[in-house]
Every structure is written in structure tokens, then in C-alpha cells.
Amino acid sequence: MKTPILSALAVVTTSVFVAAGAQAQDVAAGKTSFNKCLACHAIGEGAKNKVGPELNGLDGRHSGTAPDYNYSDANKNSGITWSKEQFLEYIKDPKAKIPGTKMAFAGIKNETEANNLWAYLSQFDKDGKTKQ
């Protein structure tokens, strides 16, 4: 009886370590993916608005609320609170998610890349520091 329980525990423990390792890779891959965004967006300590708003503290932030950024009415009135689910839907096709947005980006269709990008973006708090 004890062998199946120990085996199940070993599988769960191994899965946790694999998931933790995969998450670190996701953030690194997300940082690479963020290069597509750098022309318009900044993130991290000292980030400023560019053509698009700075993205610090995106997780949990209401759409259209980055300080000192001139958003489209569509974005300000979208009612979106950014979360992983909202972001993944948005980043596939920004103009489909928020018709009238001024974000001119074709989107990221690859689900793995979009998840990696979210892992990178969501690690920053509103001050641009990485969450502990």
C-alpha cells in the first residue's frame, strides 16, 4: 500500500520542480519576446510612456489608466482589468479585443509565446520592481 503513495508523491514533487524550472524559462523567453514590444512600450524601473504606455503593474491594472498616457476612448472605456486571461485574448489580436484601440500591432498568435510574454510582464509591480 505504501509504494503507490510514495510513487504518487515522487511524481507530484518532480512535477513541482519541473514546473518551477519551466517558469524561469518562460520569463526568459518572455523577455526575448518583449523585444517585439520595445519600440512602443517600456517596463521596469524608470520605464516611461512611449508611443504606447509603460507596462509596469499590468497584472490587475484597469485598461486605460497608466499615468500621463493619452489612451483612445476605446481603451479607456473597455472595462478590462488586465489578467493573464484578458492579456492572452488581447495579444492575439488587439483590434479585435478592443475595437478602436490605437495599438497598431498584428498580435502574437503563438500561445506559448503569448504565455511567456505574460510571465515576463506580470513579474513587474507598479514601480517597475520585480515581485518577490
Side-chain angles (χ1 to χ4, degrees):
M1 273 316 230
K2 291 182 182 179
T3 302
I5 294 171
L6 290 175
S7 296
L9 182 59
V11 169
V12 170
T13 304
T14 302
S15 297
V16 169
F17 287 120
V18 169
Q23 184 179 12
Q25 292 172 347
D26 292 346
V27 171
K31 182 176 182 181
T32 298
S33 183
F34 186 71
N35 288 331
K36 295 178 180 180
C37 312
L38 273 174
C40 299
H41 296 281
I43 197 162
E45 292 187 60
K48 303 280 185 226
N49 294 324
K50 295 178 168 183
V51 172
E54 55 85 8
L55 299 176
N56 289 330
L58 188 62
D59 190 13
R61 185 168 91 187
H62 296 285
S63 181
T65 62
D68 303 319
Y69 183 76
N70 185 23
Y71 285 95
S72 65
D73 287 340
N75 204 297
K76 286 188 284 192
N77 299 321
S78 70
I80 292 172
T81 299
W82 293 112
S83 64
K84 181 178 182 179
E85 294 74 25
Q86 290 287 348
F87 177 80
L88 293 178
E89 189 177 320
Y90 176 79
I91 203 64
K92 281 186 218 173
D93 187 352
K95 290 190 179 287
K97 178 72 175 168
I98 304 178
T101 185
K102 58 185 179 180
M103 182 162 157
F105 181 66
I108 295 175
K109 312 295 189 236
N110 180 288
E111 189 175 330
T112 299
E113 182 180 1
N115 274 291
N116 291 344
L117 180 57
W118 177 254
Y120 176 70
L121 295 175
S122 65
Q123 72 175 337
F124 292 94
D125 69 15
K126 67 180 182 62
D127 298 319
K129 296 182 183 349
T130 54
K131 300 174 187 173
Q132 300 301 323

